[in-house]
Amino acid sequence: MGDSVLKDNRPAKQGRRPNALRTAETRKALIEATIECLCEIGYSRTTTHEISRRAKITAGALQHHFGKKDELILAALDTLMAEMSLVLDRAEHVEGTTRQKIDAFVDLLWSEFYADRRYMAVWEIVIGSRGESDLHPRVAMHRHASVEKCEDVWCRAFDLPRARDDPRVKALHFALNYLRGSAMLPIVPAGNADADGMQEALKDFLVHEFARHGK
Amino acid sequence: MGDSVLKDNRPAKQGRRPNALRTAETRKALIEATIECLCEIGYSRTTTHEISRRAKITAGALQHHFGKKDELILAALDTLMAEMSLVLDRAEHVEGTTRQKIDAFVDLLWSEFYADRRYMAVWEIVIGSRGESDLHPRVAMHRHASVEKCEDVWCRAFDLPRARDDPRVKALHFALNYLRGSAMLPIVPAGNADADGMQEALKDFLVHEFARHGK
DNA sequence: ACAAATACATTTTACATGTAATGTATGTTT
DNA sequence: AAACATACATTACATGTAAAATGTATTTGT
Protein backbone atom coordinates (compact mmCIF):
# COMPACT_ATOMS: atom_id res chain seq x y z
CA MET A 1 0.00 0.00 0.00
CA GLY A 2 1.67 3.14 -1.17
CA ASP A 3 1.31 5.32 1.82
CA SER A 4 4.19 7.44 0.67
CA VAL A 5 2.30 8.11 -2.51
CA LEU A 6 -0.92 9.00 -0.79
CA LYS A 7 0.85 11.09 1.73
CA ASP A 8 1.92 13.46 -0.91
CA ASN A 9 -1.64 13.91 -2.04
CA ARG A 10 -3.57 13.81 1.25
CA PRO A 11 -1.33 14.61 4.16
CA ALA A 12 -3.92 14.51 6.91
CA LYS A 13 -6.64 12.28 5.55
CA GLN A 14 -4.79 9.05 4.66
CA GLY A 15 -1.89 9.27 7.04
CA ARG A 16 -1.47 7.58 10.31
CA ARG A 17 -4.01 8.17 12.99
CA PRO A 18 -3.08 10.23 16.06
CA ASN A 19 -0.60 8.71 18.41
CA ALA A 20 -2.93 8.71 21.37
CA LEU A 21 -5.36 6.56 19.44
CA ARG A 22 -2.66 4.25 18.20
CA THR A 23 -1.23 3.88 21.65
CA ALA A 24 -4.60 2.99 23.15
CA GLU A 25 -5.23 0.39 20.49
CA THR A 26 -1.81 -1.15 20.76
CA ARG A 27 -2.00 -1.32 24.51
CA LYS A 28 -5.44 -2.84 24.41
CA ALA A 29 -4.35 -5.47 21.91
CA LEU A 30 -1.42 -6.38 24.10
CA ILE A 31 -3.49 -6.58 27.25
CA GLU A 32 -6.12 -8.72 25.58
CA ALA A 33 -3.45 -11.02 24.21
CA THR A 34 -1.97 -11.29 27.68
CA ILE A 35 -5.32 -12.27 29.15
CA GLU A 36 -5.84 -14.79 26.39
CA CYS A 37 -2.42 -16.36 26.94
CA LEU A 38 -2.93 -16.62 30.70
CA CYS A 39 -6.30 -18.29 30.19
CA GLU A 40 -5.21 -20.72 27.52
CA ILE A 41 -1.64 -21.62 28.29
CA GLY A 42 -1.13 -20.49 31.86
CA TYR A 43 1.27 -18.17 33.58
CA SER A 44 4.40 -20.24 32.93
CA ARG A 45 4.02 -20.18 29.20
CA THR A 46 2.84 -16.60 28.92
CA THR A 47 5.96 -15.09 27.40
CA THR A 48 6.38 -11.69 25.85
CA HIS A 49 7.01 -13.35 22.51
CA GLU A 50 3.79 -15.30 22.63
CA ILE A 51 1.85 -12.23 23.70
CA SER A 52 3.23 -10.10 20.90
CA ARG A 53 2.61 -12.89 18.42
CA ARG A 54 -1.03 -13.20 19.40
CA ALA A 55 -1.51 -9.45 19.48
CA LYS A 56 0.15 -9.16 16.05
CA ILE A 57 2.45 -6.54 17.48
CA THR A 58 6.23 -6.69 17.45
CA ALA A 59 8.37 -7.23 20.52
CA GLY A 60 9.73 -3.70 20.09
CA ALA A 61 6.31 -2.13 20.26
CA LEU A 62 5.45 -4.26 23.26
CA GLN A 63 8.60 -3.13 24.96
CA HIS A 64 7.94 0.46 24.11
CA HIS A 65 4.55 0.40 25.83
CA PHE A 66 5.37 -1.96 28.66
CA GLY A 67 9.04 -1.82 29.48
CA LYS A 68 8.90 -4.83 31.75
CA LYS A 69 6.71 -7.88 31.56
CA ASP A 70 5.43 -7.17 35.06
CA GLU A 71 3.82 -3.99 33.82
CA LEU A 72 1.89 -5.92 31.25
CA ILE A 73 0.70 -8.46 33.79
CA LEU A 74 -0.43 -5.69 36.12
CA ALA A 75 -2.14 -3.87 33.27
CA ALA A 76 -4.08 -7.03 32.50
CA LEU A 77 -5.07 -7.29 36.13
CA ASP A 78 -6.14 -3.64 36.17
CA THR A 79 -8.31 -4.24 33.15
CA LEU A 80 -10.02 -7.26 34.65
CA MET A 81 -10.57 -5.51 37.90
CA ALA A 82 -12.13 -2.51 36.22
CA GLU A 83 -14.54 -4.81 34.40
CA MET A 84 -15.39 -6.58 37.61
CA SER A 85 -16.04 -3.31 39.35
CA LEU A 86 -18.58 -2.27 36.75
CA VAL A 87 -20.44 -5.53 37.13
CA LEU A 88 -20.41 -5.32 40.91
CA ASP A 89 -21.88 -1.85 40.74
CA ARG A 90 -24.89 -3.38 39.09
CA ALA A 91 -25.30 -5.94 41.84
CA GLU A 92 -25.70 -3.24 44.41
CA HIS A 93 -29.01 -2.09 43.04
CA VAL A 94 -30.86 -5.33 42.94
CA GLU A 95 -34.24 -5.14 44.63
CA GLY A 96 -36.36 -7.77 46.28
CA THR A 97 -36.42 -10.14 49.21
CA THR A 98 -33.23 -11.29 50.85
CA ARG A 99 -33.51 -14.55 48.99
CA GLN A 100 -33.91 -12.78 45.68
CA LYS A 101 -30.98 -10.56 46.36
CA ILE A 102 -28.80 -13.46 47.43
CA ASP A 103 -29.82 -15.32 44.32
CA ALA A 104 -28.91 -12.39 42.14
CA PHE A 105 -25.62 -11.80 43.89
CA VAL A 106 -24.46 -15.39 43.73
CA ASP A 107 -25.60 -15.77 40.15
CA LEU A 108 -23.76 -12.65 39.20
CA LEU A 109 -20.55 -13.57 40.93
CA TRP A 110 -20.66 -16.99 39.41
CA SER A 111 -21.62 -16.20 35.85
CA GLU A 112 -19.71 -12.96 35.44
CA PHE A 113 -16.54 -13.89 37.23
CA TYR A 114 -15.96 -17.28 38.69
CA ALA A 115 -17.39 -19.32 35.83
CA ASP A 116 -16.06 -17.02 33.17
CA ARG A 117 -12.98 -18.44 31.59
CA ARG A 118 -11.71 -14.94 31.05
CA TYR A 119 -11.24 -14.50 34.75
CA MET A 120 -9.07 -17.57 34.88
CA ALA A 121 -6.37 -15.06 34.00
CA VAL A 122 -6.72 -13.58 37.48
CA TRP A 123 -6.06 -16.90 39.17
CA GLU A 124 -3.15 -17.60 36.89
CA ILE A 125 -1.62 -14.25 37.78
CA VAL A 126 -2.27 -14.65 41.47
CA ILE A 127 -0.85 -18.14 41.67
CA GLY A 128 1.75 -17.88 38.96
CA SER A 129 3.26 -14.72 40.37
CA ARG A 130 3.72 -16.26 43.79
CA GLY A 131 7.44 -16.68 43.37
CA GLU A 132 7.99 -13.19 41.95
CA SER A 133 9.15 -11.04 44.79
CA ASP A 134 8.56 -7.78 42.90
CA LEU A 135 5.24 -8.60 41.36
CA HIS A 136 3.34 -10.65 43.88
CA PRO A 137 2.93 -7.97 46.55
CA ARG A 138 1.30 -5.73 43.97
CA VAL A 139 -0.95 -8.53 42.79
CA ALA A 140 -1.91 -9.18 46.39
CA MET A 141 -2.92 -5.56 46.82
CA HIS A 142 -5.16 -5.92 43.83
CA ARG A 143 -6.80 -8.95 45.24
CA HIS A 144 -7.34 -7.26 48.54
CA ALA A 145 -8.97 -4.29 46.85
CA SER A 146 -11.14 -6.59 44.82
CA VAL A 147 -12.51 -8.41 47.82
CA GLU A 148 -12.98 -5.13 49.66
CA LYS A 149 -15.07 -3.87 46.79
CA CYS A 150 -17.12 -7.04 46.84
CA GLU A 151 -17.69 -6.66 50.54
CA ASP A 152 -18.69 -3.01 50.11
CA VAL A 153 -21.30 -3.92 47.57
CA TRP A 154 -22.60 -6.81 49.67
CA CYS A 155 -22.96 -4.66 52.72
CA ARG A 156 -24.71 -1.92 50.83
CA ALA A 157 -27.01 -4.30 48.98
CA PHE A 158 -28.14 -5.84 52.28
CA ASP A 159 -27.78 -2.70 54.36
CA LEU A 160 -25.23 -4.25 56.68
CA PRO A 161 -22.64 -2.48 58.78
CA ARG A 162 -19.10 -2.85 57.54
CA ALA A 163 -18.05 -5.24 60.26
CA ARG A 164 -15.81 -8.12 59.55
CA ASP A 165 -17.28 -10.07 62.44
CA ASP A 166 -20.85 -9.84 61.30
CA PRO A 167 -21.94 -13.38 60.47
CA ARG A 168 -23.65 -12.14 57.33
CA VAL A 169 -20.38 -10.66 56.15
CA LYS A 170 -18.66 -13.86 57.08
CA ALA A 171 -21.22 -15.67 55.01
CA LEU A 172 -20.08 -13.67 52.03
CA HIS A 173 -16.57 -14.89 52.62
CA PHE A 174 -17.81 -18.42 52.91
CA ALA A 175 -19.44 -17.97 49.55
CA LEU A 176 -16.30 -16.48 48.06
CA ASN A 177 -14.26 -19.41 49.32
CA TYR A 178 -16.72 -21.82 47.83
CA LEU A 179 -16.89 -20.00 44.50
CA ARG A 180 -13.13 -19.75 44.32
CA GLY A 181 -12.83 -23.48 44.85
CA SER A 182 -15.49 -24.10 42.23
CA ALA A 183 -13.75 -21.85 39.78
CA MET A 184 -10.73 -24.10 40.03
CA LEU A 185 -12.69 -27.12 38.87
CA PRO A 186 -12.06 -26.63 35.16
CA ILE A 187 -8.36 -26.56 35.99
CA VAL A 188 -8.70 -29.43 38.38
CA PRO A 189 -10.66 -31.88 36.28
CA ALA A 190 -11.88 -33.80 39.21
CA GLY A 191 -14.81 -33.84 41.50
CA ASN A 192 -18.34 -33.08 40.65
CA ALA A 193 -18.52 -30.99 37.54
CA ASP A 194 -22.03 -29.95 38.39
CA ALA A 195 -20.96 -26.72 40.01
CA ASP A 196 -24.05 -24.94 38.79
CA GLY A 197 -26.28 -27.43 40.48
CA MET A 198 -24.63 -26.71 43.79
CA GLN A 199 -25.28 -23.00 43.67
CA GLU A 200 -28.71 -23.67 45.13
CA ALA A 201 -27.10 -25.27 48.14
CA LEU A 202 -24.87 -22.25 48.55
CA LYS A 203 -27.80 -19.88 48.30
CA ASP A 204 -29.77 -21.90 50.81
CA PHE A 205 -26.85 -21.68 53.15
CA LEU A 206 -26.60 -17.94 52.75
CA VAL A 207 -30.30 -17.40 53.29
CA HIS A 208 -30.07 -19.62 56.36
CA GLU A 209 -27.25 -17.49 57.75
CA PHE A 210 -29.22 -14.31 57.22
CA ALA A 211 -32.29 -15.74 58.89
CA ARG A 212 -30.24 -17.02 61.78
CA HIS A 213 -28.54 -13.73 62.48
CA GLY A 214 -31.43 -11.41 62.09
CA LYS A 215 -32.40 -9.34 59.10
CA MET B 1 38.85 -38.06 54.50
CA GLY B 2 41.05 -40.87 53.34
CA ASP B 3 38.51 -43.26 52.06
CA SER B 4 41.05 -44.87 49.80
CA VAL B 5 43.17 -45.56 52.85
CA LEU B 6 40.34 -47.10 54.86
CA LYS B 7 39.12 -49.05 51.90
CA ASP B 8 42.29 -51.01 51.87
CA ASN B 9 41.79 -51.93 55.46
CA ARG B 10 38.00 -52.42 55.63
CA PRO B 11 36.62 -53.14 52.23
CA ALA B 12 33.00 -53.72 53.24
CA LYS B 13 32.67 -51.71 56.41
CA GLN B 14 33.73 -48.21 55.36
CA GLY B 15 32.86 -48.26 51.70
CA ARG B 16 29.82 -46.84 50.05
CA ARG B 17 26.44 -48.15 50.99
CA PRO B 18 24.51 -50.36 48.57
CA ASN B 19 23.21 -48.73 45.46
CA ALA B 20 19.57 -49.48 46.19
CA LEU B 21 19.86 -47.55 49.42
CA ARG B 22 21.69 -44.67 47.83
CA THR B 23 19.18 -44.48 45.01
CA ALA B 24 16.28 -44.36 47.43
CA GLU B 25 17.90 -41.61 49.46
CA THR B 26 18.84 -39.54 46.45
CA ARG B 27 15.41 -39.83 44.94
CA LYS B 28 13.76 -38.95 48.22
CA ALA B 29 15.96 -35.89 48.64
CA LEU B 30 15.12 -34.74 45.14
CA ILE B 31 11.41 -35.27 45.58
CA GLU B 32 11.39 -33.44 48.89
CA ALA B 33 13.33 -30.56 47.38
CA THR B 34 10.84 -30.43 44.53
CA ILE B 35 7.93 -30.21 46.94
CA GLU B 36 9.72 -27.53 48.90
CA CYS B 37 10.39 -25.46 45.78
CA LEU B 38 6.82 -25.73 44.59
CA CYS B 39 5.52 -24.63 47.97
CA GLU B 40 7.93 -21.77 48.46
CA ILE B 41 8.61 -20.35 45.04
CA GLY B 42 5.87 -21.77 42.86
CA TYR B 43 5.78 -23.85 39.73
CA SER B 44 7.30 -21.22 37.44
CA ARG B 45 10.45 -20.90 39.44
CA THR B 46 10.86 -24.56 40.26
CA THR B 47 13.83 -25.34 38.02
CA THR B 48 15.98 -28.43 37.98
CA HIS B 49 18.93 -26.34 39.06
CA GLU B 50 17.10 -24.97 42.07
CA ILE B 51 15.84 -28.42 43.00
CA SER B 52 19.30 -29.94 42.81
CA ARG B 53 20.74 -27.03 44.79
CA ARG B 54 18.25 -27.46 47.61
CA ALA B 55 18.66 -31.23 47.60
CA LYS B 56 22.45 -30.82 47.65
CA ILE B 57 22.65 -33.18 44.70
CA THR B 58 24.25 -32.37 41.40
CA ALA B 59 22.35 -31.83 38.18
CA GLY B 60 23.95 -35.00 36.80
CA ALA B 61 22.60 -37.13 39.60
CA LEU B 62 19.20 -35.55 39.23
CA GLN B 63 19.24 -36.31 35.56
CA HIS B 64 20.34 -39.85 36.17
CA HIS B 65 17.35 -40.55 38.38
CA PHE B 66 14.79 -38.41 36.61
CA GLY B 67 15.66 -38.01 32.96
CA LYS B 68 13.05 -35.36 32.39
CA LYS B 69 11.71 -32.72 34.72
CA ASP B 70 8.19 -34.03 34.21
CA GLU B 71 9.18 -37.29 35.86
CA LEU B 72 10.28 -35.44 38.95
CA ILE B 73 7.07 -33.44 39.12
CA LEU B 74 5.01 -36.62 38.79
CA ALA B 75 7.13 -38.36 41.40
CA ALA B 76 6.42 -35.51 43.78
CA LEU B 77 2.72 -35.83 43.06
CA ASP B 78 2.88 -39.60 43.61
CA THR B 79 4.52 -39.03 46.95
CA LEU B 80 1.93 -36.53 48.10
CA MET B 81 -0.88 -38.72 46.94
CA ALA B 82 0.47 -41.73 48.77
CA GLU B 83 0.65 -39.66 51.95
CA MET B 84 -2.88 -38.43 51.43
CA SER B 85 -4.12 -41.96 50.89
CA LEU B 86 -2.71 -43.11 54.21
CA VAL B 87 -4.44 -40.29 56.02
CA LEU B 88 -7.73 -40.90 54.29
CA ASP B 89 -7.61 -44.54 55.28
CA ARG B 90 -7.73 -43.39 58.86
CA ALA B 91 -10.80 -41.27 58.25
CA GLU B 92 -12.76 -44.27 57.19
CA HIS B 93 -12.74 -45.82 60.63
CA VAL B 94 -14.02 -42.94 62.67
CA GLU B 95 -16.94 -43.90 64.89
CA GLY B 96 -19.78 -41.87 66.29
CA THR B 97 -22.82 -39.90 65.27
CA THR B 98 -23.11 -38.42 61.82
CA ARG B 99 -22.16 -35.06 63.23
CA GLN B 100 -19.09 -36.48 64.90
CA LYS B 101 -18.04 -38.25 61.76
CA ILE B 102 -18.55 -35.14 59.65
CA ASP B 103 -16.58 -33.14 62.17
CA ALA B 104 -13.73 -35.61 62.04
CA PHE B 105 -13.75 -35.82 58.27
CA VAL B 106 -13.75 -32.09 57.67
CA ASP B 107 -11.13 -31.52 60.35
CA LEU B 108 -8.95 -34.15 58.82
CA LEU B 109 -9.26 -32.89 55.28
CA TRP B 110 -8.57 -29.39 56.44
CA SER B 111 -5.68 -29.92 58.79
CA GLU B 112 -3.93 -32.72 56.94
CA PHE B 113 -4.32 -31.44 53.42
CA TYR B 114 -5.96 -28.18 52.58
CA ALA B 115 -4.42 -26.13 55.37
CA ASP B 116 -1.08 -27.85 55.15
CA ARG B 117 1.42 -25.78 53.29
CA ARG B 118 3.06 -28.92 52.04
CA TYR B 119 0.07 -29.66 49.90
CA MET B 120 0.33 -26.31 48.24
CA ALA B 121 2.68 -28.21 45.99
CA VAL B 122 -0.28 -30.11 44.58
CA TRP B 123 -2.09 -26.93 43.58
CA GLU B 124 1.06 -25.49 42.10
CA ILE B 125 1.52 -28.62 39.98
CA VAL B 126 -2.11 -28.76 38.94
CA ILE B 127 -2.33 -25.12 37.98
CA GLY B 128 1.24 -24.59 36.85
CA SER B 129 1.21 -27.58 34.54
CA ARG B 130 -1.90 -26.38 32.77
CA GLY B 131 -0.02 -25.28 29.68
CA GLU B 132 2.09 -28.43 29.49
CA SER B 133 0.45 -30.68 26.95
CA ASP B 134 2.45 -33.75 27.97
CA LEU B 135 2.27 -33.36 31.70
CA HIS B 136 -1.15 -31.97 32.46
CA PRO B 137 -3.21 -34.95 31.35
CA ARG B 138 -1.22 -37.12 33.71
CA VAL B 139 -1.63 -34.64 36.52
CA ALA B 140 -5.34 -34.58 35.84
CA MET B 141 -5.53 -38.34 36.17
CA HIS B 142 -3.90 -38.04 39.54
CA ARG B 143 -6.37 -35.48 40.67
CA HIS B 144 -9.23 -37.62 39.49
CA ALA B 145 -7.92 -40.62 41.37
CA SER B 146 -7.46 -38.51 44.45
CA VAL B 147 -11.03 -37.31 44.50
CA GLU B 148 -12.27 -40.80 43.75
CA LYS B 149 -10.40 -42.07 46.75
CA CYS B 150 -11.89 -39.35 48.88
CA GLU B 151 -15.36 -40.22 47.67
CA ASP B 152 -14.76 -43.91 48.38
CA VAL B 153 -13.78 -43.20 51.93
CA TRP B 154 -16.72 -40.84 52.44
CA CYS B 155 -19.21 -43.35 51.15
CA ARG B 156 -17.79 -46.12 53.27
CA ALA B 157 -17.57 -43.97 56.39
CA PHE B 158 -21.26 -43.04 56.08
CA ASP B 159 -22.39 -46.29 54.51
CA LEU B 160 -23.60 -44.59 51.36
CA PRO B 161 -24.03 -46.11 47.93
CA ARG B 162 -21.47 -44.97 45.38
CA ALA B 163 -23.88 -42.77 43.50
CA ARG B 164 -22.78 -39.48 42.12
CA ASP B 165 -26.34 -38.16 42.32
CA ASP B 166 -26.80 -38.88 45.99
CA PRO B 167 -27.20 -35.50 47.70
CA ARG B 168 -24.90 -36.65 50.50
CA VAL B 169 -22.20 -37.41 47.98
CA LYS B 170 -22.85 -34.08 46.36
CA ALA B 171 -22.44 -32.52 49.77
CA LEU B 172 -18.93 -33.95 49.88
CA HIS B 173 -18.16 -32.21 46.64
CA PHE B 174 -19.57 -29.00 47.96
CA ALA B 175 -17.21 -29.36 50.89
CA LEU B 176 -14.29 -30.10 48.61
CA ASN B 177 -15.04 -27.00 46.55
CA TYR B 178 -15.19 -24.92 49.66
CA LEU B 179 -12.00 -26.38 51.10
CA ARG B 180 -10.17 -25.95 47.82
CA GLY B 181 -11.17 -22.31 47.72
CA SER B 182 -10.11 -21.85 51.32
CA ALA B 183 -6.77 -23.49 50.63
CA MET B 184 -6.09 -20.77 48.09
CA LEU B 185 -6.44 -18.05 50.69
CA PRO B 186 -2.80 -18.04 51.75
CA ILE B 187 -1.94 -17.51 48.09
CA VAL B 188 -4.71 -15.02 47.64
CA PRO B 189 -4.11 -12.73 50.58
CA ALA B 190 -7.58 -11.37 50.56
CA GLY B 191 -10.87 -12.10 52.13
CA ASN B 192 -11.53 -13.35 55.57
CA ALA B 193 -8.46 -15.08 56.89
CA ASP B 194 -10.52 -16.84 59.50
CA ALA B 195 -10.90 -19.99 57.47
CA ASP B 196 -10.85 -22.16 60.56
CA GLY B 197 -13.75 -20.28 62.04
CA MET B 198 -15.83 -21.07 59.02
CA GLN B 199 -15.36 -24.80 59.23
CA GLU B 200 -18.26 -24.90 61.68
CA ALA B 201 -20.49 -23.38 59.07
CA LEU B 202 -19.38 -25.99 56.59
CA LYS B 203 -20.00 -28.79 59.05
CA ASP B 204 -23.43 -27.41 59.88
CA PHE B 205 -24.20 -27.38 56.21
CA LEU B 206 -23.09 -30.96 55.77
CA VAL B 207 -25.08 -32.18 58.75
CA HIS B 208 -28.07 -30.32 57.42
CA GLU B 209 -27.72 -32.05 54.06
CA PHE B 210 -27.57 -35.45 55.70
CA ALA B 211 -30.60 -34.73 57.84
CA ARG B 212 -32.51 -33.44 54.86
CA HIS B 213 -31.82 -36.46 52.70
CA GLY B 214 -32.28 -39.20 55.21
CA LYS B 215 -29.65 -40.97 57.31
C1' DA C 1 9.25 24.54 8.36
C1' DC C 2 11.91 22.29 11.50
C1' DA C 3 13.14 20.06 15.87
C1' DA C 4 11.72 16.99 19.22
C1' DA C 5 9.07 13.25 20.66
C1' DT C 6 6.77 9.09 19.88
C1' DA C 7 5.14 4.65 17.94
C1' DC C 8 6.80 1.33 16.30
C1' DA C 9 10.42 -2.43 13.95
C1' DT C 10 14.64 -5.05 13.87
C1' DT C 11 18.70 -6.76 15.81
C1' DT C 12 21.56 -7.88 19.60
C1' DT C 13 22.74 -9.29 24.21
C1' DA C 14 22.98 -11.62 28.58
C1' DC C 15 21.33 -15.04 30.98
C1' DA C 16 18.43 -19.02 32.27
C1' DT C 17 16.91 -23.63 31.52
C1' DG C 18 16.33 -28.48 30.38
C1' DT C 19 18.81 -31.94 28.62
C1' DA C 20 22.82 -34.27 26.05
C1' DA C 21 27.36 -35.94 26.43
C1' DT C 22 31.22 -37.56 28.75
C1' DG C 23 34.09 -38.93 32.76
C1' DT C 24 34.96 -41.18 37.46
C1' DA C 25 34.25 -44.08 41.44
C1' DT C 26 32.15 -47.90 43.16
C1' DG C 27 28.57 -51.63 43.62
C1' DT C 28 26.99 -55.92 41.51
C1' DT C 29 27.26 -59.93 38.72
C1' DT C 30 29.67 -63.61 36.51
C1' DA D 1 39.41 -61.19 39.73
C1' DA D 2 37.36 -59.12 35.91
C1' DA D 3 33.47 -57.47 33.42
C1' DC D 4 29.52 -55.01 33.65
C1' DA D 5 26.20 -51.80 35.54
C1' DT D 6 25.12 -47.98 38.25
C1' DA D 7 25.33 -43.67 40.99
C1' DC D 8 26.97 -39.97 40.57
C1' DA D 9 29.89 -35.41 38.77
C1' DT D 10 31.28 -32.14 35.33
C1' DT D 11 30.96 -30.00 31.04
C1' DA D 12 28.68 -28.81 26.84
C1' DC D 13 24.84 -27.67 24.02
C1' DA D 14 20.55 -25.90 22.02
C1' DT D 15 16.93 -23.15 22.82
C1' DG D 16 14.08 -19.84 25.03
C1' DT D 17 13.36 -15.42 27.25
C1' DA D 18 13.33 -10.64 28.88
C1' DA D 19 15.25 -6.68 27.95
C1' DA D 20 18.96 -3.56 25.76
C1' DA D 21 20.31 -1.20 21.75
C1' DT D 22 19.59 0.83 17.49
C1' DG D 23 16.98 2.26 13.32
C1' DT D 24 12.78 4.20 10.72
C1' DA D 25 8.46 6.54 9.94
C1' DT D 26 5.37 9.65 11.57
C1' DT D 27 3.06 12.77 14.94
C1' DT D 28 3.39 16.66 17.81
C1' DG D 29 4.97 21.05 19.41
C1' DT D 30 7.12 25.45 18.59
Side-chain angles (χ1 to χ4, degrees), chain A residues 103-117:
Chain A
D103 274 4
F105 208 89
V106 170
D107 287 344
L108 190 95
L109 285 175
W110 180 246
S111 64
E112 298 287 335
F113 304 138
Y114 291 97
D116 188 342
R117 289 197 64 83

Side-chain angles (χ1 to χ4, degrees), chain B:
Chain B
M1 193 57 178
D3 272 11
S4 59
V5 178
L6 293 180
K7 190 171 73 171
D8 289 340
N9 297 340
R10 311 176 174 193
K13 197 165 183 180
Q14 297 292 332
R16 232 160 51 160
R17 284 147 314 129
N19 279 352
L21 195 55
R22 295 166 61 80
T23 293
E25 286 183 6
T26 301
R27 287 178 67 96
K28 181 174 161 64
L30 288 168
I31 289 166
E32 287 301 313
T34 300
I35 291 167
E36 182 180 304
C37 284
L38 288 163
C39 291
E40 292 185 17
I41 60 176
Y43 184 87
S44 275
R45 288 178 160 268
T46 296
T47 64
T48 53
H49 288 268
E50 183 60 22
I51 291 167
S52 63
R53 189 187 68 78
R54 288 184 185 226
K56 295 183 173 67
I57 285 166
T58 61
L62 185 154
Q63 194 181 339
H64 173 76
H65 289 288
F66 300 97
K68 291 174 61 69
K69 186 181 173 183
D70 286 357
E71 288 175 35
L72 191 42
I73 298 287
L74 285 169
L77 201 50
D78 282 340
T79 295
L80 293 168
M81 187 169 164
E83 292 172 6
M84 186 180 350
S85 200
L86 285 182
V87 173
L88 279 178
D89 286 340
R90 279 164 34 206
E92 192 177 334
H93 301 111
V94 171
E95 304 279 356
T97 63
T98 296
R99 173 76 201 205
Q100 284 167 335
K101 285 200 277 194
I102 283 171
D103 274 5
F105 208 90
V106 170
D107 286 345
L108 189 94
L109 284 176
W110 180 247
S111 64
E112 297 288 336
F113 303 139
Y114 292 97
D116 188 340
R117 288 196 64 83
R118 180 176 172 82
Y119 289 87
M120 194 58 69
V122 172
W123 311 122
E124 284 286 340
I125 293 170
V126 168
I127 292 158
S129 70
R130 214 158 65 85
E132 316 277 351
S133 53
D134 291 340
L135 179 60
H136 195 66
R138 295 166 79 187
V139 171
M141 280 164 59
H142 258 268
R143 290 308 305 154
H144 185 74
S146 177
V147 174
E148 284 293 303
K149 169 79 179 182
C150 197
E151 206 174 282
D152 280 345
V153 173
W154 179 263
C155 289
R156 280 204 291 271
F158 296 100
D159 197 24
L160 306 179
R162 277 303 306 269
R164 265 288 170 78
D165 286 345
D166 189 311
R168 291 158 300 181
V169 177
K170 284 191 172 187
L172 167 67
H173 289 284
F174 183 96
L176 292 179
N177 283 351
Y178 171 82
L179 291 171
R180 189 184 307 120
S182 301
M184 299 295 161
L185 268 177
I187 305 182
V188 190
N192 193 330
D194 186 19
D196 285 341
M198 283 198 271
Q199 304 312 310
E200 289 307 311
L202 176 63
K203 292 168 189 173
D204 286 345
F205 164 79
L206 294 172
V207 172
H208 182 64
E209 286 295 294
F210 271 73
R212 246 191 351 150
H213 295 106
K215 166 72 174 149

